[in-house]
Amino acid sequence: MLFGKECRKIIRSLTYIIYCFIVVLFFITQYFSDCNEREYPPVKNGDYGYKISEDHDLIMGSAVNSLISDYLGNSYVCYPLGFYKMVHLKKSDRTTLEGYIKEITGLDKDGLEDVKNNSQKYYLSSGLSENVEYDVPEIPVATTMTYDRFTEIMGDIDDILGGGSEYAVDRLVHNFSQVPMTYEDAQAEYEELFEKDRISGSYARLFCDYIGIVIGIMPVFVAVALVSADRRRKVSELVYTRKISSFRLVFTRYAALVTTMFIPVLLSMTAAALQLMKNYSGENYNLSGMFTLPVFWLLPELMIVTAAGMLITEMFSGGTAIIVQFAWWFYDVLSSGMVLEGRIGKFTLVCRHNTLYQRTSFLLSRDNFVFNRLFYLAAAIVAAVLTVLVYELKRGGKFNAIRLFGQGGLLRRKA
Amino acid sequence: MEKKIEIKKVNKFYGRKQALFDINLTIGQGMFGLLGRNGAGKTTLMKTLAALHTKKSGEITVCGVPIEKAREIRAMTGYLPQEFSMYPSMKTDEALDYLGALSGIPKSERAKKVTSLLRRVNLIEHRHKKVKELSGGMKRRLGIAQALIHDPQVLIVDEPTAGLDPEERIRFRNLLCEVAEERIVILSTHIVGDIEATCEQIAIMDEGRVLWRGTVTQLLENSRGHIYTANVEKRFMPQIKKEYIVTGMLAQNDYTTVRIVSDSEPDLPNAVLAEPDLEAAYMYCLHSSGCDVRGGEE
């Protein structure tokens, strides 16, 4: 069977062995060592961290206070493309902002000046620069302000700031509705671990969080190695002149790549499940949860990274796919800023939830998560079909890979 | 269905550069030789016949199937590229089996075919060797085996003997002649000896054009009366090479016996007409078509 032969080719390659080593190493050092003990109930008078309340009034109040503070100091921390940037607005943008603040709070420019005078001023050093910050007293939100209109305004403000600000709509809930957890909250969360997540749900999320980081980048190396092997080994013409259809060949290779690359993930899942059985022996855990969620979470990610790698490698020569994938992965991982829990947007490649708790925070993004994974599943199939088309064109001599780097490459600097 | 390839007014471009000019050829069953210098357009024509390249204009039919029906063409064509290479870590039989699977041969038939082909190309004892461990000649024989695995009606072999030692070259030619008994075999080469030993029908190409087509005998007859031999002093050799097309030199004491292609009787003492050989006939064909084939130093 051709599928078996392609799998054998992949498994014997050095790139695949390195891939397996990195996946397993990441699993052992990040997840396995983190979860080698069971969770215990919270103790009284401890520090239980924060929880997300989703209270619209709290979100609007906290966000507008933060906005006014930033406005008064005219300095806004943003993470466009995942990188830290301090933004200072020009006069016209400040005027637009004043209009929005007035709409939310009723405070006009003079009112804002009064707030400034009544606020405690302090200096915050960030690297070489020093910014003025204001500890603004609580400013009430106008009673006429609806949450829908508020999020609309926040979206506009985020655009003015160039994106990646803490006022971005998809970050509002996380940034401005965190409240300290009480002992009762911590106890309830602990109970959720057993009752709602049946233990495995929490551990599966944490497993996916860690493994998802590796799966967001590593498969591209194996995909590029397999797809470019024909050219490197000068076997392309031999394969092109075979009877097999481009569709069958490309999809068989794709299926072989996805299957072989999912093997170390499955083995890691199994190890995680065995660890959970040992740590929670006698508890009512749902073992299948250790497999179902990771498959739904990680397989589409593996599929899209592999398919994109194949497509780009067929279209461009050399390791262009690795550069593109690295840029995508880097941007995706960094664009979360410091948010590691429940960070799941509609198009997030590497979904994060770096805790055993905060189930509510994860469930807040459930619709996004389901859409996201189905979207990437469909996108992966589309990319594989496009790979078939490109392969068929190359096979018939109607298209040559576009060379970007190296001799004769489009991006090669002329001496 | 008649076993023949018909090529009518085929033109091919690489970007703006024209690589084939109005090629017209009919190739029947048996060995057909495509002879020409490096860069003559032989490989381009071979790749076009193997559906690896598209033509700009003209018609090609392979056993009645238009070349545009690439899948059908691939099913009936075996191709051995100029630089035959295979995944180096695969074993010989495994490589053949893999390419057989890509050719759509069912597993049940593949094992038998692989064994029989390896036996036919004398590689059965090396079946468990990795491809990277095979010698150049063995690799070429494996190349023929892979091209025959799906029992094609047409076999296209591009410069198959380049780099082989004389023994391997003879073995390879014999192998080609054997397989040509039941199919069309197109052999592209710039080595005249390969054509002489294997082909009856030939075409000579240069700069993307077919200069001559016919039988080997016709080519030899065509050059009759234009091939001379003469004994000359060694010191005159540079001048002779400059003025004539020299196809052979044999140094003997103070003299060199030269074999010359010339339109008219050369102005050399002792020059006599000689029986044409294929190499000289080929050179005469190139010369009479206007190609510069003189090898003299300036």
Side-chain angles (χ1 to χ4, degrees):
Chain A
M1 210 170 130
L2 188 59
F3 173 75
K5 291 180 190 302
E6 293 295 346
C7 287
R8 226 167 302 149
K9 257 168 67 188
I10 296 164
I11 287 168
R12 284 178 190 172
S13 72
L14 179 66
T15 325
Y16 178 74
I17 293 165
I18 294 170
Y19 163 84
C20 291
F21 177 74
I22 291 175
V23 170
V24 173
L25 186 75
F26 207 78
F27 165 71
I28 292 170
T29 57
Q30 302 298 306
Y31 176 89
F32 203 76
S33 57
D34 252 19
C35 303
N36 59 359
E37 273 185 27
R38 61 166 291 158
E39 292 292 302
Y40 292 100
V43 288
K44 284 200 170 171
N45 301 320
D47 178 9
Y48 312 114
Y50 287 83
K51 68 169 186 177
I52 291 181
S53 78
E54 289 183 72
D55 180 344
H56 288 179
D57 290 337
L58 177 65
I59 294 167
M60 290 197 287
S62 307
V64 81
N65 258 47
S66 167
L67 181 65
I68 291 170
S69 169
D70 286 353
Y71 163 82
L72 295 176
N74 193 23
S75 51
Y76 307 81
V77 175
C78 296
Y79 290 90
L81 301 174
F83 294 98
Y84 170 87
K85 185 184 176 187
M86 183 62 81
V87 176
H88 304 285
L89 292 180
K90 57 186 180 190
K91 199 176 175 192
S92 59
D93 288 335
R94 280 174 62 81
T95 309
T96 311
L97 217 63
E98 282 161 14
Y100 284 136
I101 293 172
K102 188 176 180 189
E103 190 180 342
I104 298 168
T105 61
L107 285 173
D108 58 10
K109 199 174 177 182
D110 293 337
L112 285 168
E113 202 55 39
D114 290 342
V115 170
K116 187 176 179 178
N117 295 333
N118 294 326
S119 300
Q120 196 182 343
K121 185 179 176 183
Y122 60 95
Y123 293 90
L124 198 71
S125 173
S126 60
L128 295 173
S129 61
E130 198 173 55
N131 298 301
V132 182
E133 300 265 332
Y134 291 88
D135 192 3
V136 178
E138 200 171 308
I139 311 286
V141 176
T143 49
T144 51
M145 177 56 55
T146 63
Y147 188 69
D148 286 346
R149 175 60 189 149
F150 179 79
T151 52
E152 210 177 303
I153 292 172
M154 289 295 127
D156 290 347
I157 290 172
D158 185 56
D159 288 344
I160 291 170
L161 293 170
S165 75
E166 58 181 332
Y167 308 108
V169 177
D170 60 349
R171 295 186 189 176
L172 283 176
V173 174
H174 188 277
N175 289 346
F176 299 108
S177 77
Q178 292 202 18
V179 290
M181 279 172 73
T182 60
Y183 169 76
E184 286 72 25
D185 290 333
Q187 182 65 30
E189 225 180 25
Y190 179 75
E191 281 164 12
E192 268 189 347
L193 171 70
F194 287 84
E195 286 161 18
K196 292 190 176 163
D197 274 331
R198 293 185 60 198
I199 307 168
S200 63
S202 295
Y203 281 88
R205 283 197 298 270
L206 189 62
F207 174 85
C208 295
D209 173 77
Y210 284 128
I211 301 297
I213 296 170
V214 198
I215 295 298
I217 180 74
M218 288 310 294
V220 75
F221 291 95
V222 186
V224 168
L226 178 76
V227 172
S228 61
D230 284 359
R231 189 179 50 80
R232 278 186 290 117
R233 305 295 184 200
K234 295 177 183 166
V235 186
S236 300
E237 286 182 349
L238 281 190
V239 179
Y240 287 166
T241 50
R242 300 285 139 183
K243 187 184 156 193
I244 190 168
S245 71
S246 299
F247 184 87
R248 193 174 156 220
L249 179 63
V250 170
F251 266 85
T252 305
R253 287 183 169 180
Y254 180 50
L257 276 168
V258 171
T259 307
T260 50
M261 284 197 278
F262 208 61
I263 289 171
V265 180
L266 273 173
L267 291 176
S268 303
M269 269 183 226
T270 311
L274 291 172
Q275 187 190 44
L276 183 138
M277 285 166 70
K278 177 181 156 273
N279 290 345
Y280 291 91
S281 167
E283 299 284 358
N284 181 25
Y285 51 73
N286 170 27
L287 203 58
S288 66
M290 279 307 286
F291 295 92
T292 48
L293 181 69
V295 168
F296 186 71
W297 188 315
L298 298 173
L299 194 56
E301 188 177 332
L302 174 67
M303 285 174 72
I304 185 64
V305 175
T306 306
M310 287 177 78
L311 176 61
I312 297 169
T313 306
E314 286 294 357
M315 288 183 71
F316 303 93
S317 60
T320 309
I322 293 171
I323 296 167
V324 171
Q325 187 59 42
F326 188 76
W328 184 13
W329 175 83
F330 197 68
Y331 165 72
D332 197 82
V333 171
L334 284 187
S335 63
S336 65
M338 300 305 287
V339 184
L340 296 183
E341 292 86 28
R343 192 191 80 84
I344 302 168
K346 276 199 163 67
F347 303 103
T348 310
L349 176 68
V350 181
C351 299
R352 304 295 314 265
H353 193 80
N354 193 251
T355 172
L356 287 173
Y357 298 103
Q358 298 196 22
R359 183 174 188 270
T360 320
S361 164
F362 178 77
L363 290 180
L364 267 178
S365 309
R366 188 170 55 184
D367 290 348
N368 272 0
F369 177 67
V370 172
F371 171 87
N372 177 307
R373 296 294 101 170
L374 293 178
F375 170 80
Y376 278 124
L377 187 70
I381 292 164
V382 170
V385 170
L386 288 175
T387 310
V388 173
L389 297 177
V390 173
Y391 191 83
E392 180 62 24
L393 289 175
K394 283 175 78 177
R395 200 177 179 184
K398 291 169 192 155
F399 175 74
N400 284 322
I402 302 162
R403 201 173 170 81
L404 294 179
F405 307 103
Q407 205 170 8
L410 289 177
L411 301 180
R412 188 181 165 89
R413 285 181 65 185
K414 291 196 172 71
Chain B
M1 190 191 299
E2 200 181 350
K3 273 191 186 168
K4 69 173 179 183
I5 297 172
E6 284 196 284
I7 305 166
K8 289 179 189 165
K9 289 193 168 183
V10 167
N11 289 285
K12 159 85 190 156
F13 287 77
Y14 290 120
R16 286 184 194 165
K17 194 185 171 201
Q18 189 159 3
L20 296 177
F21 296 81
D22 274 333
I23 304 291
N24 287 294
L25 280 175
T26 302
I27 302 169
Q29 188 167 331
M31 288 282 290
F32 184 89
L34 205 52
L35 190 58
R37 298 188 281 191
N38 289 331
K42 304 184 299 289
T43 298
T44 301
L45 181 60
M46 304 284 255
K47 286 188 176 179
T48 310
L49 293 176
L52 284 168
H53 280 176
T54 49
K55 56 187 169 46
K56 172 83 176 170
S57 61
E59 273 179 44
I60 300 175
T61 54
V62 179
C63 302
V65 178
I67 200 80
E68 288 76 16
K69 292 187 174 177
R71 190 138 190 236
E72 285 177 51
I73 297 291
R74 286 173 194 142
M76 63 168 75
T77 308
Y79 179 62
L80 173 59
Q82 196 168 346
E83 274 186 78
F84 170 73
S85 187
M86 199 50 213
Y87 304 111
S89 305
M90 272 190 183
K91 287 179 184 164
T92 306
D93 54 354
E94 194 188 352
L96 211 48
D97 187 59
Y98 177 69
L99 291 170
L102 292 181
S103 294
I105 303 166
K107 193 180 178 183
S108 53
E109 285 176 38
R110 257 190 348 251
K112 274 187 205 164
K113 282 204 166 193
V114 167
T115 309
S116 109
L117 273 169
L118 286 176
R119 191 163 285 133
R120 192 170 182 183
V121 299
N122 210 15
L123 283 177
I124 195 75
E125 286 169 19
H126 307 282
R127 63 187 307 166
H128 299 308
K129 266 190 184 170
K130 286 185 176 173
V131 173
K132 64 182 172 191
E133 291 165 356
L134 298 179
S135 69
M138 288 175 181
K139 274 187 193 160
R140 298 294 164 89
R141 280 186 269 142
L142 175 63
I144 278 290
Q146 65 78 26
L148 291 171
I149 187 109
H150 55 300
D151 199 17
Q153 295 176 53
V154 178
L155 181 62
I156 299 170
V157 282
D158 196 0
E159 305 272 7
T161 59
L164 295 188
D165 62 42
E167 195 188 332
E168 274 290 359
R169 183 173 289 175
I170 291 165
R171 189 184 287 175
F172 198 85
R173 285 174 189 162
N174 293 343
L175 185 61
L176 280 181
C177 288
E178 274 175 38
V179 300
E181 283 171 12
E182 59 225 28
R183 52 178 65 84
I184 302 168
V185 177
I186 307 172
L187 165 69
S188 143
T189 184
H190 62 277
I191 301 165
V192 177
D194 288 348
I195 298 282
E196 196 168 24
T198 54
C199 304
E200 182 52 28
Q201 292 286 332
I202 60 169
I204 295 173
M205 287 187 76
D206 196 65
E207 294 186 346
R209 291 179 170 84
V210 173
L211 302 181
W212 194 89
R213 56 182 166 271
T215 62
V216 170
T217 317
Q218 284 169 341
L219 184 67
L220 291 169
E221 281 308 310
N222 189 46
S223 65
R224 189 174 290 281
H226 301 284
I227 318 292
Y228 296 86
T229 54
N231 292 327
V232 294
E233 285 181 46
K234 278 182 181 170
R235 62 193 171 99
F236 295 126
M237 278 313 295
Q239 184 66 20
I240 290 169
K241 278 200 230 169
K242 206 170 166 185
E243 286 182 24
Y244 300 100
I245 301 162
V246 178
T247 64
M249 293 191 294
L250 182 64
Q252 294 168 324
N253 299 326
D254 296 339
Y255 288 94
T256 300
T257 305
V258 288
R259 199 169 168 82
I260 288 168
V261 173
S262 175
D263 291 324
S264 55
E265 191 175 334
D267 185 16
L268 295 171
N270 310 319
V272 289
L273 271 174
E275 195 61 23
D277 59 29
L278 195 58
E279 208 153 46
Y282 165 63
M283 294 300 272
Y284 176 71
C285 175
L286 289 180
H287 167 68
S288 61
S289 305
C291 304
D292 182 14
V293 286
R294 266 175 240 266
E297 297 109 34
E298 289 296 314

